[in-house]
Amino acid sequence: MASSPEGLLTIQDFIRWGASRFNAEGLFFGHGTDNALDEAVQLVLHALHLPPDLSAAYRECRLTFPERGAVCELLERRINERKPAAYLTNRAWFAGLEFYVNEDVLVPRSPLAELVEAGFDPWVGSEGLHRILDLGAGSGCIGIACAVYLPEVEVDLAEISPAALEVASINRARHHLEERVQLLQSDLFEHIGDRHYDIIVSNPPYVSTAELATLPEESRKEPELGLAGGETGLDLVLRILRDAPTYLNEGGVLVVEVGNAAAELEQRFPDLPFLWIEFERGGEGVFLMQRDQLTEFNPLFEKELETL
């Protein structure tokens, strides 16, 4: 167990020290936190088996010698291994809900959380919602959150990776949703069968080949399968655009996060009516399209896919 630097006694001491070390070592933040202080809080409290919303009144509590060692060990792992904090704690949050994560899935951080919390309002009327597909589900956080916030809706989680589906299964059980959330091993729509949905929501791989090579070390700890979107980042996005209307009910919608690939998508399809959603809590690169629009422009998507 790591030894504690002299002079550090309280929870706040170790949070401050951890944040200072993180900044000095040039760590990257962006997997649930965006700064060294919040990252240190998350790791220190986890090492002490304390809740993440611990009252500030406890910050001046002194630690025992074993506790100091446990905290230092976890903080040093964050520095030496360059893994996002969520992989060290196996805990992440999405839409106010806690999820289990490991290195088989991306760390949840999508702005789609805000949309899910609102029940897709005002873009979709919740009264007409019966079934949702989370396509490329990873940890299952998006689809499971949909099931929590829309308790009358059934949700399918489609994911190509068996290891990721195991994580999604853990999260489904954690939120007691076995009866309303189904797991499907599928390469996008390949094994969806004759299912149809009111909403298809997806956060697919959309990182271009060039951008992938520039990612910080923390991001490279995530599974490449969940990041790599081909030369332009649109390989899977184009497949989703082409195939989605086949699996949408009349009046259904497709919601997709494309992140930095949004500019490339608009450049390829300057006349398409993408509805880009604005988020109060920040984040961008999420579009919504209706089934009829997807059907109308299907030949364009097919043509673009032929160029890949």
Side-chain angles (χ1 to χ4, degrees):
M1 186 169 291
S3 61
S4 171
E6 293 185 8
L8 301 184
L9 301 174
T10 68
I11 293 175
Q12 190 60 44
D13 287 341
F14 283 90
I15 290 173
R16 195 281 311 157
W17 177 74
S20 296
R21 289 290 316 281
F22 293 169
N23 283 328
E25 296 290 341
L27 300 190
F28 172 81
F29 310 102
H31 298 87
T33 68
D34 61 5
N35 63 84
L37 187 59
D38 287 345
E39 192 104 341
V41 169
Q42 182 176 333
L43 290 169
V44 169
L45 295 182
H46 178 81
L48 296 173
H49 308 284
L50 293 172
D53 57 352
L54 181 73
S55 170
Y58 290 92
R59 294 282 185 91
E60 296 306 318
C61 291
R62 295 191 176 195
L63 305 186
T64 66
F65 284 108
E67 287 176 332
R68 296 176 200 175
V71 169
C72 288
E73 183 176 17
L74 191 56
L75 296 177
E76 291 292 347
R77 284 190 63 197
R78 176 66 181 90
I79 293 168
N80 296 330
E81 298 177 24
R82 287 300 201 271
K83 292 181 180 179
Y87 288 155
L88 299 175
T89 64
N90 297 120
R91 301 170 73 188
W93 285 262
F94 179 83
L97 305 171
E98 184 177 336
F99 292 90
Y100 169 82
V101 296
N102 62 23
E103 290 171 75
D104 293 319
V105 299
L106 300 184
V107 178
R109 54 188 181 276
S110 170
L112 284 165
E114 186 176 320
L115 189 60
V116 172
E117 290 173 34
F120 294 91
D121 183 70
W123 314 111
V124 180
S126 60
E127 292 183 1
L129 291 182
H130 302 287
R131 184 176 287 274
I132 293 175
L133 172 64
D134 179 359
L135 191 64
S139 66
C141 64
I142 295 174
I144 288 171
C146 286
V148 170
Y149 283 93
L150 296 164
E152 303 301 319
V153 170
E154 294 186 356
V155 177
D156 288 342
L157 308 179
E159 169 60 48
I160 190 173
S161 165
L165 279 176
E166 289 183 12
V167 174
S169 179
I170 292 170
N171 287 318
R172 179 180 64 170
R174 174 170 290 184
H175 293 281
H176 311 290
L177 290 168
E178 290 90 342
E179 293 186 3
R180 287 197 295 119
V181 175
Q182 301 298 315
L183 307 179
L184 305 171
Q185 186 175 354
S186 180
D187 180 2
L188 295 182
F189 295 104
E190 183 178 13
H191 295 134
I192 298 301
D194 59 357
R195 293 175 173 86
H196 288 77
Y197 303 92
D198 302 303
I199 298 176
I200 296 173
V201 59
S202 183
N203 181 11
Y206 56 72
V207 180
S208 69
T209 301
E211 184 181 359
L212 197 64
T214 68
L215 291 179
E217 189 170 352
E218 283 84 350
S219 294
R220 295 200 298 275
K221 300 295 184 182
E222 295 186 290
E224 187 172 325
L225 182 66
L227 296 169
E231 184 176 353
T232 65
L234 296 179
D235 284 10
L236 279 79
V237 175
L238 290 171
R239 290 171 57 193
I240 293 171
L241 285 166
R242 179 193 63 187
D243 297 338
T246 301
Y247 301 93
L248 283 169
N249 290 324
E250 187 68 33
V253 300
L254 172 69
V255 181
V256 182
E257 178 178 345
V258 294
N260 292 337
E264 176 70 22
L265 188 63
E266 287 198 303
Q267 182 177 341
R268 287 194 179 209
F269 304 107
D271 298 324
L272 262 64
F274 293 110
L275 193 163
W276 295 100
I277 298 175
E278 296 183 1
F279 297 97
E280 292 183 1
R281 301 201 297 259
E284 56 187 13
V286 175
F287 72 80
L288 181 149
M289 289 193 76
Q290 299 175 353
R291 177 179 180 271
D292 290 347
Q293 294 170 329
L294 293 163
T295 301
E296 178 184 354
F297 293 101
N298 187 266
L300 290 180
F301 305 139
E302 190 71 60
K303 182 178 178 180
E304 283 294 325
L305 279 166
E306 291 174 358
T307 67
L308 296 181

